[in-house]
Structures are given as structure tokens and as C-alpha cells.
Amino acid sequence: SKYSQVNTDSDLMSFTENNNGNFDFNANASNRFLVDETVFALYSKLNLTKGNWSFSGGLRFEDSNTKGTSSSNNETRERKIYKVITSA
């Protein structure tokens, strides 16, 4: 099993070149994003050999929860993902 927690703070600052060749801060095209994500995963794998044949198969379960906040417009979105992934 695996558990991870990631907190990201991304500050996108946009600048526009003015007529004097200098760069002015463009607040309308800038934003700060705060993202909190947790992921819990379980893994299982089975190997089997029968004579000259060998088989392998596995399962992975993932529980992912993400919350993102835009500080410029104070908007928050959440995303929850539960999925099972097979492998052979």
C-alpha cells in the first residue's frame, strides 16, 4: 500500500510589455492556486507457473481526493476518484 499527501502553492504572475519596453504586472491574467491532494493506493499481484506456462495478474485500487482553490476569484473545486486498475 502507499499513501501520499501533496500540498502545492502555485503563484502565476503575468506581465505585459508596455510601449517603453518595460513589463507591467497584469493582475487579470495572474492567479494563485492552492492544491491539496491525498492518494491512497493498494496493490496486489499473483504469479503462477504451471509446467511451461506462467501467468501473472494484478489489481490496484486508488482513492484520490483533490481540492483546488483559486485565490484570485476565491473559487474552490473538489475531485474524488475511486478506481480499480487491472494488469496482466
Side-chain angles (χ1 to χ4, degrees):
S1 67
K2 180 180 177 182
Y3 176 81
S4 66
Q5 183 173 1
V6 178
N7 299 318
T8 306
D9 184 346
S10 299
D11 194 4
L12 173 65
M13 299 176 70
S14 180
F15 294 86
T16 305
E17 188 174 5
N18 62 25
N19 294 335
N20 298 329
N22 297 321
F23 290 89
D24 298 323
F25 177 68
N26 185 345
N28 292 331
S30 299
N31 200 348
R32 183 176 178 197
F33 301 96
L34 304 173
V35 178
D36 299 324
E37 181 177 37
T38 58
V39 177
F40 176 71
L42 290 172
Y43 310 90
S44 178
K45 185 173 182 178
L46 176 67
N47 294 314
L48 176 67
T49 301
K50 183 81 171 172
N52 292 333
W53 293 86
S54 62
F55 304 92
S56 177
L59 286 176
R60 173 186 168 119
F61 170 75
E62 241 182 56
D63 175 5
S64 173
N65 297 291
T66 306
K67 178 181 177 183
T69 302
S70 168
S71 64
S72 66
N73 61 7
N74 201 28
E75 181 179 334
T76 299
R77 294 191 182 201
E78 294 187 31
R79 180 181 69 183
K80 297 180 186 293
I81 298 175
Y82 304 99
K83 58 182 164 179
V84 176
I85 303 160
T86 59
S87 65

